[in-house]
Amino acid sequence: KLKVVTYPLKPNSLHCERDYYIYDENNDLCIKCTSKWVIYDFIKKRINVCSNIMPGQEFIASRAYDEPLVKMNIDNMDEYKKVLTHEVTFTDLDHNGHFNNTRYCNLFYDIHPLKENELINEIQVDYINQCFMGDKLDVYVKEIENTYFLIGKVEMTPIFSLKITLN
């Protein structure tokens, strides 16, 4: 039995953040997460101002992490090796018609099935561009000790970067 506690943080003009805490049946903290996102208007094809979406909402000042979220640097592709090409299918899509956020982590499992007693300690996913049905997503990886860095590209356009640290 798990308990999830979540709340929004005060948005800035372009993005919103939300912290999550997952507790076990003894009320011990198992997982803490932070997500950063934007509100995209599909009709106007632009990002909405986030500071207007929750008028009157009270925000909690405490954070799951003291350090701010920092995007990964994906400039040096020479260190990465292409390991997979995934064609995006209908079952990969979310209700907006683009690659579902959870599927990016599944790509890691496709190239690195976890061994017995191997656990994930940290996950960071940076969404850079949208990916749609029929796109051929090339996945590149580099490994440094127990940390894996993945980059996904469609026709050399960066789609996501992913960092997974194992125990």
Side-chain angles (χ1 to χ4, degrees), residues 13 15-16 18 25 28 30 33 41 47 65 73 84 86 88 91 97-98 101 125 144 164:
S13 60
H15 71 267
C16 302
R18 178 173 282 278
E25 58 200 18
D28 293 325
C30 301
C33 309
D41 186 324
I47 295 172
Y65 296 94
N73 183 350
L84 175 71
H86 176 81
V88 178
T91 58
H98 52 67
N101 294 345
V125 184
I144 300 174
I164 294 185

Side-chain angles (χ1 to χ4, degrees), residues 68-124:
L69 294 174
V70 177
K71 288 182 84 167
M72 290 177 271
N73 183 350
I74 60 170
D75 291 337
N76 190 358
M77 285 300 295
D78 295 339
E79 300 173 3
Y80 289 79
K81 173 182 160 191
K82 184 177 173 183
V83 293
L84 175 71
T85 298
H86 176 81
E87 183 169 351
V88 178
T89 64
F90 181 77
T91 58
D92 291 324
L93 303 179
D94 63 15
H95 67 279
N96 293 316
H98 52 67
F99 203 65
N100 189 301
N101 294 345
T102 62
R103 304 298 282 176
Y104 294 99
C105 292
N106 290 353
L107 294 171
F108 171 75
Y109 294 126
D110 288 344
I111 63 168
H112 185 90
L114 293 180
K115 301 174 185 102
E116 189 173 336
N117 297 322
E118 191 172 43
L119 300 172
I120 294 175
N121 188 43
E122 177 185 353
I123 298 175
Q124 178 179 340

Side-chain angles (χ1 to χ4, degrees), residues 12 22 25 34 60 65 119 147 150 157-158 164:
N12 78 9
I22 301 175
E25 58 200 18
T34 295
I60 298 172
Y65 296 94
L119 300 172
T147 301
L150 280 71
T157 298
I164 294 185

Side-chain angles (χ1 to χ4, degrees), residues 21-83:
Y21 300 89
I22 301 175
Y23 298 90
D24 67 13
E25 58 200 18
N26 299 318
N27 213 33
D28 293 325
L29 180 64
C30 301
I31 299 171
K32 63 181 181 176
C33 309
T34 295
S35 65
K36 183 185 281 190
W37 41 277
V38 297
I39 304 295
Y40 185 76
D41 186 324
F42 284 97
I43 296 169
K44 295 179 182 175
K45 304 268 190 239
R46 65 181 179 90
I47 295 172
N48 282 338
V49 175
C50 287
S51 56
N52 298 333
I53 65 169
M54 294 182 268
Q57 170 77 40
E58 289 188 33
F59 299 99
I60 298 172
S62 65
R63 300 291 316 258
Y65 296 94
D66 294 330
E67 300 296 320
L69 294 174
V70 177
K71 288 182 84 167
M72 290 177 271
N73 183 350
I74 60 170
D75 291 337
N76 190 358
M77 285 300 295
D78 295 339
E79 300 173 3
Y80 289 79
K81 173 182 160 191
K82 184 177 173 183
V83 293

